[in-house]
Amino acid sequence: MPVAHRTSVALFPGQGTQAKGMGAGLFDRYPEHVALARDVLGYDIARLCLDDPGGRLDDTRYTQPALYVVNALSYWDSVDRGEPAADVLLGHSLGEYNALLAAGAFDFETGLKLVAQRAALMATERDGAMLAVVGPSEADLAEVLVSENLSTLDVANRNTPAQNVLSGPVADIDRARETLSGRGFRVAALRVSAAFHSRYMRAARDEFAAFLRGFRFAPLAKTVIANVTARPYRDGDVARTLSDQIAGTVRWADSVHAVLRRLPAGNFREIGGEGVLTRMVRQIDTPVAAPEKPRRVFTVAYAGGDENAYRALATHTRDLDVVALERPGRGRRVAQPLLADADAVVADLMDQLRDHVGEPYAIYGHSLGARLAFRLCRRLRAEGLPAPVRLVVSGECGPAVPSRERDTWRLTGDAFWAHLDELGGVPAQLRQFEDLMAHYERVLRADFTVLGRYVHDDEPPLDVPITVVTGDREPFSDAEISAWQRETTEPLERHRLPGDHFFIREHWAELADLIEGAPHA
C-alpha cells in the first residue's frame, strides 16, 4: 500500500545556469524581497536578471547574488502554488545557500549578504579557469592528469559518473583541453574567472571563514546534503562547511547518490533552472544494489504498551518476523518489578536482543518506544554488534529535543487520566475494572517517569538510516522532527500519515512497508 506524504527532495542550481530573462514573472510577486535585495546589493536585481545590462550577469560578483535571489523566489513560488515544502535539500555549489535558506539556517537577507561576500571574494581571485570533461571516469581522468604532468589541476566538480570539472591555472587548463580533446573526450570551458573549488581558492576560503564568524546559524529544520562531504549537514558545522566548500570539491554525484540509496529519483524536483540538475540525476541514477532488507523487526512498545502493542503489524508484513521486546512488569513479565530509568530499560532490552542480531534486522518504536529504540541502537554500537539495516520511529521528535510528555508522570488523579484520554491511548473499557486501572496506572507512571528522567547525551551520529513517521495531527514542528537528522549520517527519511498521536492503529500496512523497505509512492 502506498505511503502518503513521501519525503520530497529539492535541487537548487548554481553558477553556470544563469541566463538573461531568468526570474521573469517572479519579481512582481515578491516585491518586498526584491526591495530588500536592492538595499543589500545596491542595484536593481530584477533589471540585472531580466535585461543583463552590460553583460554583468556573467560576472561572478553579480551572478551569484542573482542566482540566489531567483532560486529563493522560485522555491517560494513552487510552494505557494501547492508543491510540498522539501524535506531533503541539495544545492549545487552556490545553490547550497538556497538549500540552507529553505532549511531555516538563516533568513533571506542574511543569506544574500553571505552570497554577496562569497561572490566578491571568489571574483577577486584571477588567473584561473575551469574545464568540464565528459567521457572518462574520475579514476581514468586522474590517470590522464598524472601521465600528462597536469597534477596542477584539481577535480572541482564530480557532477556525474562521466562528467567532471577541472580547475586550475589558465595555461594548464588550456593544455588539458587540447590533450583531453585529442583523446576523444568532450570538453567545454566554463564561464568563470578563477579556479573555483580548488587549492587556488584557499585564500578566499580563509577570508570567508573569518567573515562567517560574525554570524550565527539556526538549527536546520530540514535535511541538507553538503557538497564537500556528500553527507547531511550537522548543526554547528554550517560555517566551517560553507567556507570549506569554496576550496573543496563539489561532490555532486556522491551527494545525489547518498539520497538515491533511500529515495527514488521521482521524489526529486529542480527549483528554477532549466533542468541541468535533473539530467544529472538521471545520469547518476544507475542501478545499484538495493538496500539490504531486514528479515525481522524488533519492536519497542510505547508508554503503557506491552508485547501486544504492535500485534497488528505482523498481519501486514510479508517476509518479516515481528519480534516484541518486552519490558518488565507487563505482559509475560508482569511479575517482575517495573523499571523507571532509561538506562536500566535499555540494558534489559539489550539482554533480549544481543544474541539475535546475526541476520539483517530493523528496530521499530513509537513514542517512548522511539527513544528507547534509538538508545538501543547506540548500545549496539557501543558493544560492537551488527547495526540494524534501518531504525523506524514514529510519534516522537528527535531525542535531543525534550519529550512533550516529560512532565506527565507528575500529574495526579483525574488530571493524569484526562491527559491520557487526550493522547487517545486508553481504551474506554478499561475504566470498568478498578484492579486493571490500578495495574495500568503503575505501568504508565513508570514509563512516563522514564521520559521524565530521559537525558540525551551528545554522541557521534549513527551509521543507521532513520525513517521517521508522524501523524498529521500531531503537534510536532519541522525542527523537532528534523532533530532526528542529528542522530544519523544518512539522509533522514520522513513520512506523514493522517491521524493523531496513535495514527499507527490505522496505518499498520504503511508502517509494514516502511519497515520492510518495500517500494512506495
Side-chain angles (χ1 to χ4, degrees), residues 74 146 201 227 245 305 328 339 346 393 416 443 456 471 477 486:
S74 298
V146 170
M201 299 299 292
N227 286 178
Q245 191 220 53
L339 298 176
V346 172
V393 293
F416 180 75
V443 172
H456 183 75
S477 67
R486 303 175 198 170

Side-chain angles (χ1 to χ4, degrees), residues 292-406:
E292 196 168 24
K293 284 187 175 294
R295 296 183 183 177
R296 60 178 60 176
V297 55
F298 297 98
T299 62
V300 185
Y302 42 79
D306 60 18
E307 58 190 349
N308 296 308
Y310 310 126
R311 180 181 290 276
L313 180 67
T315 64
H316 295 278
T317 57
R318 291 172 282 267
D319 302 320
L320 186 70
D321 292 330
V322 179
V323 181
L325 302 178
E326 185 72 292
R327 298 197 288 275
R330 69 203 78 200
R332 66 180 183 273
R333 301 179 67 187
V334 67
Q336 299 178 19
L338 291 161
L339 298 176
D341 176 80
D343 289 337
V345 172
V346 172
D348 182 89
L349 296 174
M350 192 67 196
D351 288 340
Q352 301 172 58
L353 180 64
R354 187 176 289 108
D355 296 330
H356 304 283
V357 293
E359 295 183 327
Y361 67 98
I363 298 180
Y364 168 64
H366 177 80
S367 196
L368 168 63
R371 288 182 182 250
L372 294 174
F374 163 71
R375 290 281 289 267
L376 199 53
C377 289
R378 279 188 167 182
R379 184 68 179 261
L380 285 158
R381 177 175 65 183
E383 294 193 17
L385 293 171
V389 297
R390 69 176 57 88
L391 168 64
V392 179
V393 293
S394 59
E396 184 56 299
C397 54
V401 179
S403 167
R404 289 176 178 269
E405 302 300 327
R406 62 187 180 279

Side-chain angles (χ1 to χ4, degrees), residues 394-395 469-476 495-501 503:
S394 59
V469 195
T470 52
D472 63 0
R473 295 202 299 276
E474 288 193 285
F476 301 121
H495 296 271
R496 193 170 68 254
L497 298 170
D500 57 18
H501 186 57
F503 69 93

Side-chain angles (χ1 to χ4, degrees), residues 338 416-417 435 437-447:
L338 291 161
F416 180 75
W417 288 104
D435 54 342
M437 284 278 284
H439 165 74
Y440 200 45
E441 181 170 351
R442 286 195 298 274
V443 172
L444 282 164
R445 288 195 178 280
D447 285 349

Side-chain angles (χ1 to χ4, degrees), residues 27-202:
F27 301 113
D28 291 341
R29 294 194 61 189
Y30 301 94
E32 292 182 1
H33 292 89
V34 174
L36 188 55
R38 182 189 301 112
D39 292 342
V40 172
L41 300 171
Y43 54 82
D44 187 337
I45 193 71
R47 182 164 181 263
L48 171 67
C49 295
L50 298 175
D51 302 332
D52 190 20
R56 288 187 299 175
L57 205 49
D58 282 342
D59 182 329
T60 295
R61 293 173 297 172
Y62 297 93
T63 310
Q64 295 190 9
L67 281 170
Y68 171 82
V69 172
V70 171
N71 282 348
L73 301 187
S74 298
Y75 180 66
W76 293 331
D77 178 62
S78 72
V79 174
D80 289 345
R81 286 186 289 100
E83 294 277 2
D87 304 304
V88 179
L89 303 122
L90 297 86
H92 192 281
S93 189
L94 177 278
E96 192 159 297
Y97 288 77
N98 289 103
L100 290 166
L101 170 66
F106 40 70
D107 59 23
F108 174 76
E109 180 180 3
T110 300
L112 187 55
K113 290 177 179 176
L114 299 181
V115 168
Q117 180 67 10
R118 177 184 189 262
L121 290 170
M122 294 176 73
T124 299
E125 302 296 325
R126 295 288 174 182
D127 302 323
M130 301 177 74
L131 181 72
V133 183
V134 179
S137 66
E138 183 187 352
D140 291 341
L141 182 59
E143 286 187 13
V144 173
L145 296 180
V146 170
S147 65
E148 296 294 338
N149 195 26
L150 285 168
S151 58
T152 52
L153 302 182
D154 291 342
V155 175
N157 295 18
R158 299 172 185 163
N159 283 338
T160 72
Q163 185 200 115
N164 295 282
V165 176
L166 297 176
S167 194
V170 173
D172 295 334
I173 286 290
D174 287 343
R175 193 156 63 84
R177 182 170 59 236
E178 293 179 6
T179 297
L180 293 165
S181 179
R183 290 177 180 239
F185 300 130
R186 289 168 50 203
V187 297
L190 270 58
R191 293 180 293 170
V192 296
S193 58
F196 297 160
H197 301 298
S198 75
R199 74 190 88 169
Y200 305 102
M201 299 299 292
R202 288 171 182 165

